Every structure is written in structure tokens, then in C-alpha cells.
């Protein structure tokens, strides 16, 4: 063993200590902003320190400012944990330090990513010929998918957007549910289509796009059109009616894009797969590995049925880059990055360690915990569960009052047994509970429900 790398053993021990503390440490951060700044601030070090001293000090100083989101009772935002095989593989991905941008510089990892992509296509039930890009998150997955949409729609209208840009190009309409995740609009902004190109359509009480609204929006205009649909609304976890949306897109020649940041993984669950009926007819799908697949940050996945449009909008070449050899994998074709980390490798490891049935158990387990928490909460006077718990999301309102709901959320966060975040759903303040971690047990779900009820009782009296 080369002693210069002894620091890796220290890192492994510190990681073990941290991960071993997850189940019982307070879930929220304990240190204040001032405390954290005081620990890290200082001038640029003039001389270096031993690697072990740096790692040791860093691990000591971040503690208290860490959120136990990889643990069993973190239900904030939509933040998954990390399964051990993916974590260990992520470390090795750093140790190997391959530039996964291209086959010539990362032969083995390009093949691992190629296989991971095939497994993802199979598990998510999308067409086998689809392009798959491992990007940083669902935000960049939207960007990538909508860049492919922009390419295809404008090419069909006789416009080469990659060469000529958007000046004087036919305008692209983007139709999205009013409950669409903000990252869809941000992707449109980054792609030069502008947030102004996004036409919002009304949703029902679960945040599903209303078909009558989509029908009339499509009838009200023409030209190149993208319709965005949702598999797993951010608050309620609801799914749009994909079959009907696909029919409407076919009638109007529109590109159908699905935001399935977490909800697309329902495809792996035999009991919840039906929520996605018709979703396989879409043109592109954006999802995450770092949410429900429980791989470490960061990992999003962009999937495009029209692989030619995908690669035409993303591929980069340069004189110093050798051209693709035969059918060797060519990751440059699928992501906006030129150089990048091989973030598909932890995906491969997660899928290999879980297997199809393990992913299904992960998804179903989280959904069952969400149902359990909702059932426990909804029987309490003054506590209202606002959504149909079809997936892993629960939204709850306390005392039918925004301020009371806010106070319950604050109490839960301070108490530290579990951690939930807040949101506004259709104009009303809510607590959002999102179960996406592999570590959560039935006992954790029950303990968390009790902690939320205790906070509610303290606030509502
Ligand atoms: C439905 C949905 N879409 C998109 C995103 C953005 O994903 P990311 O943070 O990975 O970019 C999220 C994040 O929570 C989400 O829940």
C-alpha cells in the first residue's frame, strides 16, 4: 500500500462514523451560519498541511452543519439517500478520475455507462433506441431533452438551430401544467426560448394537467410545440393522463416531454406501474438518479426517444478529438458537458446491487411509508392531508391555517426526530413529506408521524 494514500483509510473510517450516526443524530443541522463561517473562514493557506490533517479537520468542522438526508427520517424536498454499492463506487469513480466525456479517455467507464443506460431504458420502460445522458440533475435533464426537442421541431420546420440559433427562427410554443416544476421554465430560459414561451394550463385538485385545458391550448395556436407532462407532481406525486396527452400530441404534431424526476421510477413497481400508462409514448423523459435510485449527488438522466435529435443537439467534436471508432460508446453525444465525471457508474452499481426487485422494493417501501404517515396524521383533529397519496408524497395542512402550518414545520425541524419542508399548494400553505430513502423503516415512519403529531398538538393546543 502506498503510504501517500493512507488518507483514504481515514476518509473511510470517518465515513463509517458518519453513516453509523445517521439513524440517531438530529436530522436537521445544529450549527448556525456564524458558527460554520467561523470554522472555515481564513486567508488562503500559505503553506500546505498533511492530507490527513486536512481531512480530519474538515470532517470535524462540518459536523453539526450536516443534514442527515441520507438517513431514515429525512423527508424534505425530494432528496434520496445513498445505497452502499453506489457510494463505494462513487469513491472509486473519483479514484479512477476518468474523464467520462469520451471513449478515448474513459474506455471502461464508457462501457459501464452504456450498460447502465440500457438498464435504465429497460427499467423505466422507454424505447430501447433512446439516447441516454447522465447529467447533473433533472434540471440539466430538462435542458438536454428540450434541446433535442428544439432541434427536431425546428429541423422539421426547415430551420437549423444549431447553426443559425434562434434569431428569426419559428417560435416554439411550450405548454406546461401550472404546477410544472420550476426547472422546466429554467431550461426554456437557458435554451433561449424564454420563460415567456411557456403557456401554463390549469390543473385539477391533485396538480394534474387538465385535458380540456390542454386541448384548447393546442387548438388555440400552431407551429412547433412542446407539451410538458408530469410523472410525480412535486407536492402531490400525481401523474398526468399520459395516454390522452400522447394522443393530443400526435394529433397536433407536438413533442411530448415528461418531468419524471422521481415519479418515473414507479415504472419498476408492479403495483404502481399503471400510473405511467401511456408515458412510454412520450418523446423525452427527464429523471434523477440522486432522488429515488439513491445514488450520491449528483446524477440526473436525460432520455430522448429520437436519439438522432438528442445527439445532434449535444454532440461536440474538435480536431484534437479522435473520431468515434465503429460502435464504441460516444458519451459526448448525450450530455451538454464536454469533460465530466462518470456519474453513470454509481447508477450501474446501484442497479446491480439492488436488482429489479430491489428497486421495486425501494419504491414500494417508500410509498407504503408515505401511506402509513398519511393515515396516522389524517385522523388527528385539525390535521388535513390534502392529496391522494398515490406515490411517496404527502401534503398536510394544520388548523387550516398558513401560520399554524408554518409553526408546525418549524417545530418538527427544531425537534430533530424527522425533517419535513413546507410549500404552497394551490394557494394554501402545506407541509410536504417526501419519502425517497432506502433506510426508512416502518418504525421510522411511525416515529416520524408521532413527532409531527406532537408538534401539531403543541401548536394547535
Ligand atoms: C418534479 C421535479 N422536477 C425537477 C426537479 C429538479 O431536479 P434537480 O434538483 O435534480 O435538478 C425536481 C427536484 O426536486 C422535481 O421534484
Amino acid at each position: 500500500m502506498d503510504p501517500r494514500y493512507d488518507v483514504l483509510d481515514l476518509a473511510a473510517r470517518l465515513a463509517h462514523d458518519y453513516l453509523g450516526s445517521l439513524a440517531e443524530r438530529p436530522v436537521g443541522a445544529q450549527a448556525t451560519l456564524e458558527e460554520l463561517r467561523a470554522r472555515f473562514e481564513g486567508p488562503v493557506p500559505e503553506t500546505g498541511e498533511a492530507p490527513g490533517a486536512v481531512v480530519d479537520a474538515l470532517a470535524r468542522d462540518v459536523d453539526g452543519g450536516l443534514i442527515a438526508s441520507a438517513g431514515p427520517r429525512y423527508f424534505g424536498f425530494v432528496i434520496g439517500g445513498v445505497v452502499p454499492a453506489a457510494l463505494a463506487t462513487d469513491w472509486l469513480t473519483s479514484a479512477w478520475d476518468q474523464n467520462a466525456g469520451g471513449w478515448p479517455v474513459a474506455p471502461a467507464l464508457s462501457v459501464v455507462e452504456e450498460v447502465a443506460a440500457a438498464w435504465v431504458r429497460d427499467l423505466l420502460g422507454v424505447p430501447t433506441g433512446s439516447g441516454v445522458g447522465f447529467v447533473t440533475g433533472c434540471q440539466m435533464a430538462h435542458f438536454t431533452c428540450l434541446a433535442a426537442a428544439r432541434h427536431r421541431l425546428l429541423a422539421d420546420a426547415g430551420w437549423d438551430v444549431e447553426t443559425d440559433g434562434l434569431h428569426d427562427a419559428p417560435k416554439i410554443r411550450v405548454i406546461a401544467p401550472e404546477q410544472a416544476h420550476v426547472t422546466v421554465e429554467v431550461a426554456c430560459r437557458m435554451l433561449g426560448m424564454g420563460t415567456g414561451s411557456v403557456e401554463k394550463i390549469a390543473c385539477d385538485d391533485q396538480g394534474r394537467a387538465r385535458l380540456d385545458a390542454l386541448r384548447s391550448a393546442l387548438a388555440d395556436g400552431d407551429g412547433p410545440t412542446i407539451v410538458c407532462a408530469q410523472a410525480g407532481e412535486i407536492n402531490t406525486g400525481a401523474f398526468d393522463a399520459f395516454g390522452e396527452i400522447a394522443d393530443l400530441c400526435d394529433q397536433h404534431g407536438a413533442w411530448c416531454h415528461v418531468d419524471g424526476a422521481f415519479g418515473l421510477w414507479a415504472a419498476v413497481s408492479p403495483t404502481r406501474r399503471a400510473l405511467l400508462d401511456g408515458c412510454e409514448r412520450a418523446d423525452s423523459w427527464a429523471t434523477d438518479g440522486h432522488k429515488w435510485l439513491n445514488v450520491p449527488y449528483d446524477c440526473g438522466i436525460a432520455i430522448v426517444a429520437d436519439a438522432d435529435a438528442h445527439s445532434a443537439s449535444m454532440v461536440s467534436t474538435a480536431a484534437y478529438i479522435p473520431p468515434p471508432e465503429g460502435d464504441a460508446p460516444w458519451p459526448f453525444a448525450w450530455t451538454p458537458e464536454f469533460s465530466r465525471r462518470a456519474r453513470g457508474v454509481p447508477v450501474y452499481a446501484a442497479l446491480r446491487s439492488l436488482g429489479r426487485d430491489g428497486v421495486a422494493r425501494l419504491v414500494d417501501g417508500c410509498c407504503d411509508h408515505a401511506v402509513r404517515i398519511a393515515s396516522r396524521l389524517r385522523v388527528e383533529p385539525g390535521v388535513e392531508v390534502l392529496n391522494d397519496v398515490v406515490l411517496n408524497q404527502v401534503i398536510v395542512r394544520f388548523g387550516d391555517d398558513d401560520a399554524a402550518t408554518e409553526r408546525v414545520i418549524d417545530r418538527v425541524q427544531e425537534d430533530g426526530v424527522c425533517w419535513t419542508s413546507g410549500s404552497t399548494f394551490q394557494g394554501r400553505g402545506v407541509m410536504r413529506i417526501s419519502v425517497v430513502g432506502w433506510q426508512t423503516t416502518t418504525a421510522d415512519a411511525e416515529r416520524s408521524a408521532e413527532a409531527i403529531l406532537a408538534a401539531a398538538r403543541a401548536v394547535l393546543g
Side-chain angles (χ1 to χ4, degrees):
M1 300 258 270
D2 183 336
R4 288 175 302 174
Y5 294 110
D6 282 353
V7 67
L8 297 182
D9 296 327
L10 172 63
R13 187 174 59 69
L14 291 167
H16 261 286
D17 291 349
Y18 175 69
L19 295 170
S21 76
L22 279 177
E24 288 315 322
R25 63 162 45 219
V27 181
Q30 306 298 297
T32 63
L33 175 62
E34 292 70 32
E35 284 164 351
L36 290 170
R37 286 209 172 119
R39 290 181 202 171
F40 295 104
E41 272 174 0
V44 176
E46 294 300 333
T47 54
E49 278 178 79
V54 174
V55 169
D56 207 33
L58 193 64
R60 187 188 57 237
D61 290 343
V62 295
D63 203 72
L66 296 176
I67 307 255
S69 51
R73 292 185 306 283
Y74 181 84
F75 307 121
F77 309 101
V78 189
I79 294 191
V82 50
V83 290
L87 173 58
T89 308
D90 198 57
W91 288 359
L92 283 175
T93 302
S94 293
W96 294 324
D97 193 26
Q98 307 283 287
N99 180 346
W103 157 259
V105 282
L109 300 197
S110 299
V111 172
V112 175
E113 286 200 333
E114 186 178 52
V115 173
W119 289 354
V120 165
R121 280 189 291 256
D122 181 334
L123 289 167
L124 299 184
V126 299
T128 46
S130 306
V132 176
F134 293 104
V135 293
T136 49
C138 200
Q139 171 68 85
M140 289 314 288
H142 288 318
F143 174 88
T144 306
C145 292
L146 296 182
R150 188 182 68 164
H151 168 90
R152 174 55 62 220
L153 292 170
L154 291 183
D156 288 352
W159 188 268
D160 177 351
V161 67
E162 280 74 34
T163 306
D164 298 324
L166 284 175
H167 289 295
D168 300 325
K171 185 170 161 41
I172 298 178
R173 303 176 70 199
V174 181
I175 301 176
E178 62 187 351
Q179 303 286 144
H181 196 268
V182 59
T183 48
V184 169
E185 277 188 315
V186 173
C188 292
R189 192 174 84 198
M190 293 192 291
L191 286 164
M193 302 192 288
T195 54
S197 68
V198 183
E199 299 168 37
K200 294 288 184 67
I201 54 168
C203 291
D204 68 12
D205 64 343
Q206 296 298 310
R208 289 177 292 238
R210 276 179 37 190
L211 293 173
D212 57 334
L214 177 59
R215 214 170 278 117
S216 65
L218 283 166
D220 274 357
D222 52 13
T225 305
I226 299 170
V227 172
C228 296
Q230 299 203 90
E233 197 274 336
I234 181 75
N235 295 295
T236 62
F239 290 67
D240 283 338
F242 299 110
E244 287 84 347
I245 292 176
D247 287 343
L248 287 168
C249 287
D250 285 350
Q251 280 161 28
H252 291 267
W255 178 286
C256 179
H257 171 68
V258 176
D259 180 350
F262 52 98
L264 212 52
W265 292 92
V268 193
S269 154
T271 53
R272 286 160 176 102
R273 184 174 298 149
L275 292 165
L276 287 160
D277 279 352
C279 187
E280 71 287 350
R281 292 173 57 197
D283 296 290
S284 56
W285 304 261
T287 189
D288 267 320
H290 57 217
K291 290 189 169 68
W292 225 344
L293 186 57
N294 280 231
V295 304
Y297 280 96
D298 45 33
C299 180
I301 309 173
I303 308 171
V304 182
D306 180 344
D308 290 340
H310 189 168
S311 99
S313 58
M314 289 294 136
V315 79
S316 34
T317 49
Y320 70 95
I321 308 280
E325 288 169 37
D327 71 342
W330 200 246
F332 276 133
W334 313 121
T335 67
E337 293 89 1
F338 194 64
S339 297
R340 69 175 176 86
R341 166 179 191 73
R343 54 177 67 83
V345 176
V347 170
Y348 173 91
L351 293 177
R352 190 163 161 179
S353 78
L354 291 166
R356 194 189 296 271
D357 63 344
V359 181
R361 272 198 305 279
L362 171 58
V363 169
D364 283 335
C366 291
C367 296
D368 292 347
H369 297 320
V371 168
R372 183 175 296 273
I373 294 172
S375 321
R376 189 69 200 83
L377 298 185
R378 67 158 56 91
V379 292
E380 180 80 3
V383 180
E384 191 188 357
V385 173
L386 296 186
N387 65 317
D388 301 336
V389 184
V390 294
L391 200 68
N392 63 326
Q393 303 286 124
V394 186
I395 48 173
V396 199
R397 183 163 165 86
F398 299 89
D400 195 16
D401 182 65
D402 287 355
T405 301
E406 199 57 48
R407 285 206 302 282
V408 176
I409 295 168
D410 288 347
R411 269 193 107 95
V412 167
Q413 293 180 355
E414 278 158 27
D415 166 53
V417 169
C418 66
W419 205 94
T420 66
S421 48
S423 181
T424 304
F425 182 68
Q426 299 184 334
R428 299 206 286 168
V430 291
M431 170 188 280
R432 283 180 69 252
I433 300 167
S434 176
V435 192
V436 266
W438 69 281
Q439 302 227 32
T440 307
T441 62
T442 303
D444 289 307
E446 277 167 2
R447 191 171 156 199
S448 302
E450 287 312 319
I452 295 167
L453 286 174
R457 287 174 194 138
V459 169
L460 302 178

